[in-house]
Amino acid sequence: MIRLFKHYIPHAVLLLGLLDFALLMVASELAWQLRAMQIGIDPGLLEDRWIPLVGSACVVWLAMISVGVYGPYALRSLRFAGARLLVAISLGIIVLAAIDWVLPGETFWRSTLLYSMGFAVLVLVADRLLLTSFLGSSSFRRRVMVLGAGDRAQRLRELGDKPEAGFAIVSYIAMGEPERAVEEAIARDAIHDLGRFVENLGVSEVVLALQERRNALPLNDLLRIKTKGVHVNDFSSFLERETGRVDLDTVNPSWLIFSDGFSSGRVFSSAVKRIFDIFASLVLLLLTFPIIGIFAIIVKLDSKGPAFFKQERVGLYGEKFHLIKLRSMRTDAEKDGAKWAEKNDSRITRVGSFIRKVRIDELPQTWSVLKGEMSFVGPRPEVPQFVDDLQEQIPFFGERHMVKPGITGWAQINYPYGASTDDSRKKLEYDLYYAKNYTPFLDLVILLQTVRVVLWPEGAR
């Protein structure tokens, strides 16, 4: 994996993304050449239109990121990737047509965009037909050795067996565990020179998967491996990198203290984040005010009660604030206290079901973003009653309040709607990853991926 602004990107994804970007520029150029030939004009020099070429490729490429073209399933399933590609290219072309209407130019007319769309579909699908098996091959998977044969090693094996895994485990070394979960593990005593053994297998990374309370750290082995130029990683850090979440089953306070993250550079990130929040919230409020107004009237007509729902939530550093949303439930929905939303929840109104699925009920929260109580990106703000209960049941739950709550977030795009303590625990693992590693780049990734969640709202309730 390559670490970009504290966020890890698999080599295969990065290579495919760069290749797609180049092919999108090729598709735009072919479209212009064809259109120029049809109407009998001189296409001109390529160097005179490289800015429109790069700009058009950027728009479609960002649309591809938004709808999940580079997600794990898209890289393993051509059918899945093809469907997402069609949606992404269509969205990109619509945006480009709007740009052409607002800022008319001489290079890319709307008629040219239709050709560009056709060429883009052809080259990108052909690209995937040729490269899918290659990108999924072992050549793009890191060769990993696991020190340990217990439950943690078994968890790594299950993770590595997934088709989207970016690593392949080439050997397990039993380090004297009383009970083995991985039967094929080689006993440490059977290997004379562990450093040479690692070299012979072409291992690029060794993961320490010991139950540290039961086993002393094999310092001599780790030192020998490290001096061979092989990366050594602990179990929790490896899981964080591979899954994009902090594993609560194995993490401890010392790991959070000494691991990478929560750096001083976040002061700059926070300043950039606030500037973006102010600008984007002003623009979004101006653009969506008519939509909010129309649906406020519809909500009012659909069921008795106010159009807007106001509720106390927990924000940054545990401070409480009032959140405003379009009302999607009956007015007596919480007469007995706050409770989790359920599938096919009878408290949700007819209009409420629709506005939840398309996230229109979230739009008034933009006012909280403008006031600085929330951000566009961050952990979901919870009600005080839930927070008090969850802090007693889930370790490190309070750490999620070290960043501002958000309308969307890393947990929201990676895990379905949480409606139980177990769901909250899983979402906290993603929230901790975000609080630990957030940068403007990660915020951009989350904002783009939110489009996918809106288009395919499997987790909306």
Side-chain angles (χ1 to χ4, degrees), residues 9 50 61-62 115 129 176 178 215 224 233 248 299 366 415 441:
I9 301 175
W50 70 270
W61 192 56
L62 290 176
Y115 293 129
L129 284 172
N215 301 276
R224 185 169 301 172
N233 214 345
L248 289 178
V299 168
T366 310
Y415 194 82
F441 174 76

Side-chain angles (χ1 to χ4, degrees), residues 185-452:
I186 303 171
R188 172 64 186 90
D189 296 340
I191 302 172
H192 174 67
D193 189 335
L194 187 60
R196 179 164 293 181
F197 185 73
V198 167
E199 281 186 320
N200 291 339
L201 288 178
V203 173
S204 60
E205 183 174 10
V206 171
V207 181
L208 186 64
L210 298 176
Q211 302 291 345
E212 294 181 2
R213 293 180 181 178
R214 300 180 183 178
N215 301 276
L217 290 175
L219 296 179
N220 290 334
D221 286 336
L222 296 177
L223 180 60
R224 185 169 301 172
I225 292 168
K226 185 71 173 180
T227 55
K228 293 287 185 180
V230 177
H231 181 59
V232 178
N233 214 345
D234 66 275
F235 183 79
S236 296
S237 297
F238 183 83
L239 281 185
E240 180 192 20
R241 185 188 68 197
E242 298 298 324
T243 63
R245 57 185 177 84
V246 173
D247 184 65
L248 289 178
D249 292 330
T250 59
V251 75
N252 54 54
S254 63
W255 181 85
L256 285 173
I257 292 170
F258 293 108
S259 66
D260 187 27
F262 305 109
S263 63
S264 59
R266 65 191 300 168
V267 175
F268 171 76
S269 297
S270 298
V272 173
K273 188 184 187 76
R274 183 59 188 146
I275 292 171
F276 171 80
D277 283 343
I278 293 173
F279 175 77
S281 59
L282 283 171
V283 173
L284 190 60
L285 281 172
L286 289 173
L287 292 177
T288 61
F289 182 77
I291 298 175
I292 295 173
I294 291 171
F295 276 94
I297 295 172
I298 295 174
V299 168
K300 187 75 175 176
L301 294 174
D302 178 62
S303 61
K304 293 182 179 180
F308 295 94
F309 172 71
K310 187 177 181 181
Q311 188 181 53
E312 191 175 55
R313 298 290 177 99
V314 178
L316 183 65
Y317 305 133
E319 295 291 329
K320 297 176 183 177
F321 70 99
H322 285 93
L323 181 74
I324 300 175
K325 301 172 68 174
L326 281 169
R327 183 174 60 83
S328 59
M329 289 188 174
R330 302 192 315 265
T331 53
D332 62 348
E334 296 188 344
K335 62 181 179 180
D336 298 323
K339 56 186 288 190
W340 300 108
E342 302 171 353
K343 190 174 183 180
N344 300 320
D345 199 321
S346 60
R347 299 174 299 163
I348 299 175
T349 63
R350 291 174 299 175
V351 173
S353 178
F354 171 76
I355 63 177
R356 278 179 172 239
K357 286 182 179 179
V358 296
R359 304 304 202 274
I360 291 176
D361 64 319
E362 310 276 1
L363 290 177
Q365 294 182 72
T366 310
W367 176 246
S368 295
V369 175
L370 182 61
K371 291 195 298 180
E373 297 168 335
M374 290 180 64
S375 176
F376 275 103
V377 181
R380 174 187 170 87
E382 295 288 2
V383 298
Q385 178 185 333
F386 289 163
V387 171
D388 293 340
D389 294 340
L390 292 172
Q391 284 187 144
E392 293 181 0
Q393 301 176 52
I394 305 175
F396 308 114
F397 190 83
E399 310 310 314
R400 72 195 297 273
H401 299 130
M402 294 301 102
V403 292
K404 283 184 183 180
I407 298 176
T408 184
W410 188 238
Q412 289 91 311
I413 67 170
N414 283 289
Y415 194 82
Y417 185 92
S420 67
T421 301
D422 289 339
D423 285 337
S424 295
R425 182 184 178 90
K426 289 294 185 183
K427 296 195 80 168
L428 176 61
E429 294 182 330
Y430 289 104
D431 286 335
L432 286 177
Y433 177 90
Y434 175 77
K436 199 168 164 290
N437 300 295
Y438 91 83
T439 62
F441 174 76
L442 182 55
D443 278 3
L444 175 61
V445 171
I446 293 170
L447 288 171
L448 290 173
Q449 286 283 295
T450 301
V451 176
R452 169 179 57 82

Side-chain angles (χ1 to χ4, degrees), residues 28-39:
S28 295
E29 175 62 15
L30 289 174
W32 171 245
Q33 293 286 347
L34 178 60
R35 185 58 178 158
M37 181 181 67
Q38 284 183 333
I39 60 179

